[in-house]
Amino acid sequence: MEERLMARLESAVARLEALSLRGGSVAGSGGDDASATDPSIVAFEDFMGTYFGRVSSAGEKIGGQVLEVTKILEQALNMQKELLIKIKQSQKPDLAGLAEFLKPLNEVIMKANSMTEGRRSDFFNHLKAAADSSTALAWIAYTGKDCGMSMPIAHVEESWQMAEFYNNKILVEYKSKDPNHVEWAKALKELYLPGLRDYVKSHYPLGPVWSATAKAKAAAPRAPAPPPPPPASLFTSESSSPSSSKPKEGMAAVFQEISSGKPVTSGLRKVTDNMKTKNRADRNGVVGASEKESRTSSPSFSKAGPPKLELQMGRKWVVENQIGRKNLVIDDCDAKQSVYIFGCKDSVLQVQGKVNNITIDKCTKMGVVFTDVVAACEIVNCSGVEVQCQGSAPTISVDNTGGCQLFLSKGSLGASITTAKSSEINVLVPGAEPDGDLVEHALPQQFIHTFKDGQFETTPVSHSGG
């Protein structure tokens, strides 16, 4: 607590000294001063003083490669602060300009990644946790919903999920060996969650806000260009050209036609009886059997959006709006990636490999077969789904789901199954004999709560057939 307070005080003193030095600067530097003292920039300095101070202090106690990667992380944070100041002084660039603008930050992140390559270090988990988590700083590249990135807050959270696997290894390895490593791992997590996440949520929930006037101010000394001629009004009957023989267009032509005194409907064709739909022989309203079969036999797609099966930002597999597809496969995956399945119906997905976590959301009659998950498999807002684990899964969560069959392998019998607001959940496990049939167990959905000895006791309802 004292270290955190001291870090915040040092940050505040540094800002006051910087302001006092700027007091004698020329008037032309007012834009830089205003950007550097913007509330969002001041809040970023507070964020670094509050959260990064702990990481730095623990890194100095550990030393070696841990201290080195901690200093690189500090460089990345300082670079992000500089970019945030520049954003307030610059107009939004195009894609090529944005890549060039973010190049300094990208180089620092790549520097951290390079430390994880080559011969495996004794502090490999520290290096991977720092390098993978540093990608959270790329939230600054978000330019809109069509840019291919998650929104800034979600990007920070997803980036930390990549690093948490290695961060948890540090906590387990050094739990009873060295408290400095444990402190470093805990401080690193708090740097992003809640530190960076809350900062982005407060100041940039929709991405960075570029200056709308920076370019206009830079071009002010030039002689103003002559204004373009005003566009012709849609409602005027006068032509902007000197020639009066030019035919009128748009609404001017419409009003001229109306004011000419001619019958407005003189140019319309008359609809005869044989042109009416009710009298046409080729429009009888009966759907043929062949047409009906062709509509139902081919796989359809969800009205919610186009079907997707893609890897986004190298971290998240997205499977959306797949209907009637029985051969969906994800085979090129690793333990740092997650799988999100949404809005699928009457389909089957195979995940061939270990992934971080799997989420099945708003799916109907969906089958999912996976090998291993590092964190959890979550089933939310679904109906009639079947999920099979062929390897291991520490946690399986079922929430607000009606009709769910879980097929567990011997390696996943130790899984913790959590249910909430769900019904008709059956778990099938291997029998006692190797070649025996699966044994089905129904998870209770009704409970009895009785008040005994000053507290409630909850027991599942058991039905006896007598």
Side-chain angles (χ1 to χ4, degrees):
M1 185 66 183
E2 293 179 358
E3 293 177 356
R4 183 182 299 183
L5 181 59
M6 288 298 297
R8 294 191 66 179
L9 289 174
E10 290 174 359
S11 176
V13 171
R15 288 201 307 273
L16 290 173
E17 290 175 350
L19 288 174
S20 64
L21 291 174
R22 291 189 188 117
S25 61
V26 296
S29 63
D32 294 344
D33 292 347
S35 299
T37 57
D38 186 88
S40 63
I41 305 302
V42 175
F44 191 87
E45 294 174 349
D46 287 339
F47 148 71
M48 284 192 62
T50 302
Y51 292 99
F52 184 75
R54 286 182 56 201
V55 183
S56 179
S57 177
E60 289 176 356
K61 293 177 182 178
I62 298 171
Q65 288 185 314
V66 178
L67 177 59
E68 185 178 351
V69 78
T70 302
K71 290 182 177 179
I72 294 177
L73 185 58
E74 184 177 15
Q75 293 176 16
L77 289 166
N78 287 329
M79 180 57 64
Q80 176 146 102
K81 175 189 168 185
E82 293 180 15
L83 294 179
L84 288 173
I85 294 176
K86 290 181 179 179
I87 283 174
K88 295 186 174 298
Q89 304 167 357
S90 310
Q91 281 194 341
K92 184 177 179 180
D94 55 14
L95 289 179
L98 182 63
E100 185 66 24
F101 180 83
L102 298 175
K103 186 177 180 181
L105 177 61
N106 185 55
E107 289 176 350
V108 179
I109 294 176
M110 294 302 295
K111 186 177 178 181
N113 284 321
S114 65
M115 293 190 65
T116 65
E117 300 172 355
R119 187 176 179 181
R120 192 180 181 99
S121 165
D122 293 337
F123 303 107
F124 177 78
N125 292 327
H126 299 72
L127 303 180
K128 283 292 289 182
D132 289 355
S133 64
S134 66
T135 60
L137 301 178
W139 68 265
I140 199 173
Y142 182 82
T143 56
K145 62 181 181 179
D146 297 327
C147 69
M149 287 180 58
S150 299
M151 294 188 69
I153 299 172
H155 176 80
V156 173
E157 293 175 342
E158 291 169 3
S159 298
W160 175 250
Q161 289 178 2
M162 292 174 53
E164 192 166 24
F165 174 74
Y166 300 98
N167 205 61
N168 288 340
K169 282 190 172 185
I170 301 172
L171 295 174
V172 173
E173 181 180 357
Y174 291 94
K175 182 177 181 181
S176 56
K177 290 169 58 176
D178 191 337
N180 292 327
H181 292 265
V182 176
E183 171 66 14
W184 186 88
K186 289 181 178 180
L188 184 67
K189 180 175 182 178
E190 292 183 7
L191 176 68
Y192 296 99
L193 303 180
L196 183 60
R197 179 194 62 192
D198 288 356
Y199 169 77
V200 173
K201 183 178 181 180
S202 300
H203 298 279
Y204 301 100
L206 301 178
V209 181
W210 297 81
S211 173
T213 58
K215 193 171 183 180
K217 289 181 178 179
R222 297 182 181 179
S233 171
L234 291 176
F235 298 95
T236 181
S237 60
E238 298 179 359
S239 175
S240 59
S241 64
S243 175
S244 60
S245 60
K246 185 177 178 180
K248 295 180 172 58
E249 298 178 355
M251 292 301 296
V254 175
F255 285 116
Q256 184 182 24
E257 184 72 19
I258 294 174
S259 60
S260 64
K262 298 178 181 179
V264 178
T265 60
S266 60
L268 300 180
R269 294 176 59 190
K270 182 175 178 61
V271 179
T272 59
D273 289 339
N274 63 339
M275 296 170 63
K276 296 179 180 179
T277 303
K278 64 180 181 179
N279 297 329
R280 293 180 59 175
D282 58 340
R283 302 286 182 90
N284 54 16
V286 178
V287 180
S290 60
E291 182 181 355
K292 191 182 297 183
E293 289 176 1
S294 65
R295 290 182 180 178
T296 56
S297 60
S298 61
S300 59
F301 300 120
S302 172
K303 295 180 180 179
K308 290 184 182 179
L309 199 165
E310 61 186 18
L311 179 63
Q312 297 181 350
M313 301 300 292
R315 296 186 303 274
K316 183 178 180 180
W317 284 97
V318 174
V319 185
E320 292 184 357
N321 307 319
Q322 301 284 353
I323 298 181
R325 303 290 299 275
K326 306 289 186 179
N327 55 351
L328 302 172
V329 178
I330 297 176
D331 52 5
D332 185 15
C333 54
D334 58 53
K336 295 186 293 184
Q337 297 171 348
S338 61
V339 180
Y340 181 67
I341 308 164
F342 175 81
C344 298
K345 182 178 180 181
D346 195 24
S347 300
V348 178
L349 171 67
Q350 297 183 52
V351 182
Q352 300 175 352
K354 179 183 287 188
V355 294
N356 186 274
N357 69 289
I358 297 175
T359 301
I360 308 170
D361 188 6
K362 292 185 180 179
C363 294
T364 303
K365 296 182 180 179
M366 181 70 185
V368 178
V369 182
F370 66 90
T371 307
D372 299 287
V373 293
V374 177
C377 174
E378 300 174 289
I379 305 164
V380 187
N381 304 322
C382 293
S383 175
V385 295
E386 297 183 1
V387 179
Q388 180 178 356
C389 176
Q390 297 176 329
S392 62
T395 304
I396 298 176
S397 165
V398 185
D399 188 8
N400 196 26
T401 295
C404 176
Q405 283 194 317
L406 303 176
F407 297 82
L408 303 183
S409 63
K410 289 186 177 180
S412 58
L413 291 179
S416 172
I417 303 176
T418 304
T419 63
K421 297 190 294 183
S422 301
S423 61
E424 303 176 37
I425 302 175
N426 298 316
V427 183
L428 292 89
V429 299
E433 299 182 2
D435 298 331
D437 295 334
L438 295 174
V439 180
E440 185 173 4
H441 299 269
L443 299 187
Q445 63 188 60
Q446 293 180 316
F447 301 89
I448 299 175
H449 310 280
T450 55
F451 189 76
K452 292 182 180 179
D453 300 327
Q455 62 183 359
F456 276 97
E457 294 183 359
T458 302
T459 55
V461 175
S462 60
H463 300 280
S464 60

